Amino acid sequence: MNSILSTARIALATLLLYATALPAFAGAADYEFQSVKTELPTGPESEFAVKIVDKRTGKPVPDAVIFSTRLDMAPDGMEMMRSTLDPLPSAEPGVYRFKLNLNMAGDWRFLIAAKIQGEEETAKGEIILKATE
C-alpha cells in the first residue's frame, strides 16, 4: 500500500511540475495597434503606418497577417463614407504601412484585423485619424 501511495505522490508531483512549467498563452487582448502618425493630409496619396505591439513585452510584432482593413468617417457620423486603402511594403519589423485616399478633411476610423503568428484569436484594432487640408 505504501508503494502505491508513494508512486501516486511522485506522479502528482511530476504532474504539478509540468503544469507550472507550461508557457502562458497570449490572447488577442495582449496586442495593441499603435498609429505612427494620426494627422494626415487629405488626398489620394496619404501614407499611414500602424505598429502592432505585444503589450506584455512592449516589442513590435513582425510577420502578422493583415487580412481585414476598413477606412470610414464613423467618428464624424458618416460611417457609410468609406475610402480605399492599399498595403505598402515596410522595412521596419512590426510596422505595417498603407496608402490611403483621404478624400475629405475630418476624422476617419481605421479598422484592422490581423492574425498573429502562434495565436488562435484574431487581434483587432481601431485608430482614429485626422485628415487635414
Side-chain angles (χ1 to χ4, degrees), residues 89-93 95 97:
S90 179
E92 191 177 345
V95 176
R97 296 178 54 235

Coordinates of all heavy atoms in Angstrom, one line a residue, residues 89-93 95 97:
P89 N 4.8 48.2 -48.8 CA 5.9 47.5 -48.1 C 6.5 48.3 -47.0 O 6.4 49.5 -47.0 CB 7.0 47.3 -49.2 CG 6.6 48.3 -50.3 CD 5.2 48.6 -50.2
S90 N 7.0 47.6 -46.0 CA 7.6 48.2 -44.9 C 8.9 47.5 -44.5 O 9.0 46.3 -44.5 CB 6.7 48.2 -43.6 OG 7.3 48.8 -42.5
A91 N 10.0 48.3 -44.2 CA 11.3 47.8 -43.9 C 11.4 47.5 -42.4 O 12.4 46.9 -42.0 CB 12.4 48.7 -44.4
E92 N 10.5 48.1 -41.6 CA 10.6 48.0 -40.2 C 9.8 46.9 -39.6 O 8.5 46.9 -39.9 CB 10.2 49.3 -39.6 CG 10.5 49.5 -38.1 CD 10.1 50.8 -37.6 OE1 9.9 51.8 -38.3 OE2 10.0 50.9 -36.3
P93 N 10.3 45.9 -38.9 CA 9.5 44.8 -38.4 C 8.5 45.3 -37.4 O 8.7 46.1 -36.6 CB 10.6 44.0 -37.6 CG 11.9 44.4 -38.2 CD 11.8 45.8 -38.6
V95 N 5.9 47.0 -38.2 CA 5.2 48.2 -38.8 C 4.6 47.9 -40.1 O 5.2 47.3 -41.0 CB 6.2 49.4 -38.9 CG1 5.5 50.6 -39.5 CG2 6.7 49.8 -37.6
R97 N 2.4 49.4 -43.3 CA 2.1 50.7 -44.0 C 1.0 50.5 -45.0 O 0.8 49.5 -45.6 CB 3.4 51.2 -44.7 CG 4.5 51.5 -43.7 CD 5.8 51.9 -44.4 NE 5.6 53.0 -45.3 CZ 5.9 53.1 -46.5 NH1 6.5 52.0 -47.1 NH2 5.7 54.1 -47.3

